[in-house]
Amino acid sequence: QFRFLPRWGETAGGVRTEIIWIAFNAVVIYYSYDFVFNKMNLFWTSQTMGVPRKYFYLILPLAFTAMTVR
């Protein structure tokens, strides 16, 4: 949709969408980190393997951090 705009509009739109994406990722990283390390009970375990669920939910902050860096 930006290709129909002038060159400066295309650049401004691209920068604006990247800023919104980074802000969204920052919010998700913050809340998922807070959930995993502060609100999750240490004794919650997976039913089949007996591993603490914290290790499974740790993928959320790691994945969104990787998406932000990319």
Side-chain angles (χ1 to χ4, degrees):
Q1 69 271 14
F2 294 134
R3 67 181 174 182
F4 298 114
L5 297 174
R7 184 77 173 141
W8 64 270
E10 183 179 346
T11 304
V15 168
R16 183 174 45 230
T17 56
E18 291 298 323
I19 290 172
I20 291 170
W21 179 245
I22 290 171
F24 172 76
N25 282 349
V27 169
V28 172
I29 290 167
Y30 173 76
Y31 282 114
S32 62
Y33 181 85
D34 183 48
F35 174 72
V36 170
F37 290 106
N38 296 329
K39 296 190 169 120
M40 183 170 263
N41 189 343
L42 182 62
F43 301 107
W44 290 351
T45 59
S46 68
Q47 295 175 355
T48 56
M49 297 190 319
V51 177
R53 287 187 187 179
K54 181 180 282 194
Y55 298 122
F56 296 112
Y57 285 107
L58 187 61
I59 193 65
L60 288 171
L62 293 177
F64 276 91
T65 301
M67 283 191 286
T68 303
V69 170
R70 183 193 173 273

